[in-house]
Amino acid sequence: MKVYIIAFFALTSSIIFSLKVSAQDTLRINQKEAEALFLGNNLDLIAQNLSIRQAEAGIIQAKLWPNPEFSLDEVNLWATRNQLSSGETIPPLFGNFGKNREFTAELSQLIETGGKRRKRIALELVSRDMAAEYFSELIREMKLQLRENLFELAFQQSYQTVLSNQQTAVTRLLTSFESQYKQGNVNKPELFRLRALKLELGQELVESQMQINNLQKDLTILLHTPASSYLVFETPEVPDTETLASLALSNITATALANRPDVKINSMQQDWAKKKYEYEYAQRKPDVNLGINYDRGGNFLLNFFGFGVKFDVPVFNRNQGNILESKIGIEQSDVQAKQKTQQIETEVTAAFRDLQKSISAYQNLDPEYSGELDHVLESYTRYFAQRNVNMVEYLDFFEAYISNKRTIFTTIKQLRQSREKLVYTTGAEI
């Protein structure tokens, strides 16, 4: 049907992956595995996919012809005394059944005119295609949410690792200083300042863990994993900035207008509005009801067969209101399509500019800088323990180290998320 729907069933039926369990409830997962799990298990996607089947059921119903109608009327349950005394009797139909019984029977069939059935089927076909595109649109929106949460989780996990390592280093320093303080080699303000630093790191770790817990909650819902599970995301590689920098705004705008599901939905809404007008216009023509009836004993003929036709005479109601409403609907869908085009062009331009800024910020990072920071901090910590660096110098560099590490992780996260925002706005992988 649609690319996303094919991908949905292909992934759920053919991709089998194994989550690496490092602890009882800890699931280690990479981006590819997370997205396959998302496509196969997410309850919102499953519910939306069922709406496509509902739309297909609507097509089946629209193809059905009206049922014929049968009526049995004017049945006398007994013969009157006058009828019997006058000798006016009705012979039985077979055996002794139907003797002196009068009744009428009629069989009729409604014939729709003006191609109403065909136009009704066309409406349901468009509705089915729109349901498929709504499914694609839901995947597009939720995939962005999934990836942003994963990249935020990667950021928080990396930052938490830095905080944990430095808390361990500060704890060792504090233990050493407490021993030195007892010997009178360290003054109390220095000892208290190290204790304050340890408390600050502990508080930052708590705040980071709370953000991770919130991300875990959202990812558990998106991936439909057990509530007790704890996801550890294997951080993906940094996007290729050279390829991203070579993108042209005009090209990705054209890609968005050609691929985004909401653009296709708007186009289908225009088509649906036109078909709705055609269907309502066809309602001007009255349907014809053809019938055949049988009258036994109620006419000068014992067995009377007759034929008839019945239809509305379109004198007052020619469906004028519904026709006007559907005509206005065509104009409304055209305006909405123009608005959607302008909205997409604006969204793509904004996402493209954000990506260029993120690429520039990332390229300004020295690839060796993060490792050099770790090396210098180790040296500062050693010098500080040896009393070659005073407390003020050490704490200044320590705060700069934490701040720089966070900036590096934030820059990488922003690059990943800016790329995903552009993927979202274009409706195609870049």
Side-chain angles (χ1 to χ4, degrees):
M1 190 177 293
K2 296 294 178 186
V3 175
Y4 278 126
I5 300 174
I6 295 173
F8 173 82
F9 289 109
L11 285 168
T12 55
S13 62
S14 65
I15 294 182
I16 302 175
F17 62 88
S18 174
L19 296 177
K20 298 173 282 296
V21 181
S22 62
Q24 184 177 359
D25 293 324
T26 300
L27 301 178
R28 296 191 177 276
I29 191 170
N30 58 37
Q31 183 173 341
K32 182 178 179 182
E33 292 170 341
E35 291 184 9
L37 190 62
F38 160 72
L39 289 172
N41 287 9
N42 185 269
L43 297 181
D44 287 333
L45 294 185
I46 294 174
Q48 184 64 34
N49 189 48
L50 291 175
S51 68
I52 300 175
R53 294 173 57 187
Q54 287 180 318
E56 290 173 345
I59 297 174
I60 294 175
Q61 184 64 34
K63 289 181 178 180
L64 301 179
W65 295 93
N67 289 325
E69 292 184 0
F70 175 78
S71 64
L72 181 65
D73 201 5
E74 299 182 7
V75 180
N76 68 312
L77 299 179
W78 57 84
T80 63
R81 183 174 301 176
N82 291 335
Q83 180 185 12
L84 295 176
S85 61
S86 65
E88 297 179 359
T89 60
I90 301 175
L93 283 172
F94 51 86
N96 198 38
F97 178 77
K99 183 177 181 181
N100 294 328
R101 292 290 182 268
E102 176 188 348
F103 64 88
T104 62
E106 182 178 7
L107 181 66
S108 62
Q109 174 66 54
L110 178 68
I111 306 298
E112 292 183 301
T113 62
K116 295 186 183 73
R117 175 177 173 273
R118 173 172 50 82
K119 292 178 173 63
R120 189 166 57 248
I121 294 172
L123 272 173
E124 294 298 334
L125 286 171
V126 175
S127 297
R128 188 272 313 275
D129 292 341
M130 287 174 64
E133 291 300 336
Y134 276 119
F135 179 70
S136 300
E137 176 68 3
L138 180 62
I139 289 180
R140 186 177 75 98
E141 293 177 355
M142 296 190 69
K143 186 177 286 188
L144 173 66
Q145 181 183 353
L146 172 67
R147 291 178 177 179
E148 286 186 338
N149 283 341
L150 288 174
F151 296 151
E152 182 65 30
L153 180 61
F155 164 78
Q156 291 295 341
Q157 288 176 171
S158 299
Y159 185 55
Q160 191 178 62
T161 299
V162 170
L163 293 176
S164 297
N165 291 339
Q166 297 317 308
Q167 187 184 49
T168 301
V170 170
T171 300
R172 285 198 300 264
L173 272 177
L174 182 59
T175 301
S176 175
F177 269 57
E178 286 174 343
S179 176
Q180 293 292 320
Y181 175 72
K182 292 177 182 179
Q183 299 175 15
N185 298 327
V186 174
N187 58 45
K188 185 175 288 189
E190 288 183 324
L191 181 64
F192 279 16
R193 188 63 188 90
L194 277 179
R195 287 177 178 174
L197 178 59
K198 183 181 177 181
L199 288 174
E200 290 172 7
L201 287 172
Q203 181 60 32
E204 283 198 59
L205 276 168
V206 170
E207 292 175 358
S208 177
Q209 187 60 54
M210 291 177 67
Q211 294 187 49
I212 289 176
N213 292 341
N214 191 52
L215 291 167
Q216 293 282 338
K217 177 199 68 175
D218 294 340
L219 289 169
T220 296
I221 295 173
L222 285 170
L223 303 180
H224 194 52
T225 54
S228 59
S229 64
Y230 187 86
L231 295 175
V232 177
F233 182 50
E234 297 178 3
T235 307
E237 296 181 358
V238 178
D240 184 0
T241 54
E242 291 185 4
T243 301
L244 295 177
S246 65
L247 295 174
L249 178 58
S250 58
N251 292 339
I252 61 175
T253 301
T255 300
L257 293 174
N259 288 282
R260 275 183 52 160
D262 50 348
V263 175
K264 296 178 183 179
I265 290 171
N266 268 77
S267 177
M268 290 175 182
Q269 286 174 337
Q270 289 179 287
D271 189 27
W272 190 90
K274 293 175 183 177
K275 294 187 184 310
K276 180 69 161 52
Y277 173 77
E278 293 173 358
Y279 177 73
E280 295 296 348
Y281 194 81
Q283 295 290 339
R284 296 173 71 252
K285 298 181 180 179
D287 297 330
V288 177
N289 203 318
L290 300 177
I292 178 173
N293 64 300
Y294 169 71
D295 190 337
R296 174 177 170 79
N299 206 308
F300 66 94
L301 297 176
L302 176 62
N303 296 303
F304 172 80
F305 289 92
F307 299 89
V309 61
K310 182 171 63 174
F311 54 87
D312 291 337
V313 179
V315 176
F316 305 110
N317 182 359
R318 297 191 300 277
N319 207 37
Q320 299 97 315
N322 289 334
I323 291 173
L324 178 59
E325 180 187 13
S326 59
K327 188 174 182 180
I328 295 172
I330 294 176
E331 298 176 7
Q332 185 182 45
S333 64
D334 290 341
V335 173
Q336 290 173 342
K338 292 177 181 177
Q339 183 184 26
K340 176 60 67 174
T341 299
Q342 184 179 16
Q343 174 189 339
I344 289 174
E345 290 174 347
T346 304
E347 289 178 358
V348 172
T349 301
F352 178 79
R353 290 172 178 170
D354 289 344
L355 178 61
Q356 298 304 311
K357 289 292 185 182
S358 298
I359 292 173
S360 177
Y362 176 76
Q363 290 177 339
N364 287 333
L365 292 177
D366 185 349
E368 308 296 331
Y369 183 59
S370 182
E372 290 175 355
L373 273 175
D374 295 333
H375 178 71
V376 174
L377 181 62
E378 290 177 5
S379 300
Y380 258 77
T381 303
R382 185 171 61 253
Y383 295 153
F384 178 60
Q386 296 171 357
R387 314 300 291 165
N388 294 326
V389 174
N390 62 41
M391 176 68 75
V392 174
E393 290 176 329
Y394 178 71
L395 293 179
D396 285 347
F397 184 79
F398 191 92
E399 291 177 2
Y401 170 84
I402 296 293
S403 177
N404 275 255
K405 279 287 187 177
R406 185 178 180 86
T407 299
I408 292 171
F409 296 150
T410 301
T411 301
I412 296 173
K413 180 187 72 173
Q414 287 176 343
L415 176 63
R416 292 192 179 110
Q417 292 186 340
S418 295
R419 176 188 178 276
E420 291 307 322
K421 192 61 179 293
L422 189 63
V423 169
Y424 169 77
T425 56
T426 56
E429 295 292 337
I430 297 175

